[in-house]
Amino acid sequence: MRVRLSCNTEEFHRLQKVLPDCILECEQSLKQRFLVRKGKELVSVHCNDIAYFYSKNKLSYLKTFDGKNFLVRMSLEDIEQSLASEQFFRASRQVITSHTAVQKVLLWFNGNLKVELAPREIDNVIVSRLKANQFRQWLGE
C-alpha cells in the first residue's frame, strides 16, 4: 500500500516503525525561511537566523539573533507545525525557541523550568512541569 503524508520528520519515523510494509512518502512541509514585511519591503529570514518566535497582544513575532523583531502573519500553532522539531521547541503558549537562543535553564517552582533566552525580549519563559522532561531531552540531557 502507498500512503502520502504531510508530517514532520519525527512523526514520519514513528509511522515507519508501526507500518513497515507500507511505502510511506513524507511531504516535507518544513519551512527553511520566513518571508516577513519590514516597512514597504519583504525580507527573507532563514530559520538559522531566528532565535525564537513569540506571541504578544494576539500577534506573532520572530526575533533574530541580531535583535530584530518581525511580525509573522501566522499563529504560533501554524509556525510550530512548519518548523523542524530538532531545531525549535514550543516552550510555552507564548514562545517557540531555538536551541541556540537558550542561555540558561533554572529549576523553578513545582517542577517547572525557567528559561532565559538571548537576545532578551521576554523575561519569563516558564516551561511547565508536563513539558519539562521533554524540554530537557530536546536540549540533550
Side-chain angles (χ1 to χ4, degrees):
M1 179 193 317
R2 183 177 290 271
V3 179
R4 189 169 199 75
L5 302 170
S6 181
C7 60
N8 65 30
T9 308
E10 184 178 310
E11 291 169 335
F12 178 71
H13 291 302
R14 198 172 332 123
L15 283 171
Q16 270 186 322
K17 291 176 186 174
V18 175
L19 304 169
D21 297 332
C22 294
I23 300 170
L24 299 173
E25 296 176 12
C26 184
E27 291 179 7
Q28 290 294 339
S29 59
L30 303 178
K31 285 186 170 267
Q32 298 298 316
R33 53 184 61 250
F34 285 82
L35 193 63
V36 293
R37 184 173 276 173
K38 179 182 176 185
K40 291 188 176 187
E41 61 186 52
L42 296 174
V43 178
S44 179
V45 182
H46 196 276
C47 285
N48 293 338
D49 298 328
I50 299 171
Y52 52 87
F53 295 88
Y54 66 98
S55 176
K56 191 174 183 179
N57 299 327
K58 297 187 179 184
L59 296 173
S60 300
Y61 298 90
L62 70 80
K63 180 85 165 182
T64 61
F65 286 107
D66 57 0
K68 296 178 184 172
N69 288 311
F70 295 101
L71 179 67
V72 180
R73 295 180 182 247
M74 296 170 69
S75 68
L76 283 184
E77 288 78 24
D78 293 338
I79 293 169
E80 181 183 17
Q81 294 299 316
S82 66
L83 294 169
S85 60
E86 299 84 28
Q87 186 178 4
F88 289 93
F89 186 87
R90 181 78 179 259
S92 68
R93 288 183 187 175
Q94 292 83 21
V95 178
I96 301 171
T97 184
S98 72
H99 272 285
T100 48
V102 176
Q103 294 300 299
K104 191 185 293 185
V105 179
L106 304 168
L107 298 176
W108 210 239
F109 302 104
N110 225 8
N112 296 336
L113 301 173
K114 182 177 178 183
V115 181
E116 292 183 9
L117 302 174
R120 199 161 192 159
E121 174 81 21
I122 303 167
D123 289 329
N124 293 321
V125 178
I126 305 295
V127 178
S128 72
R129 69 173 187 230
L130 299 174
K131 284 186 162 185
N133 283 338
Q134 186 181 1
F135 182 75
R136 290 162 75 159
Q137 288 176 351
W138 176 75
L139 282 177
E141 181 180 70

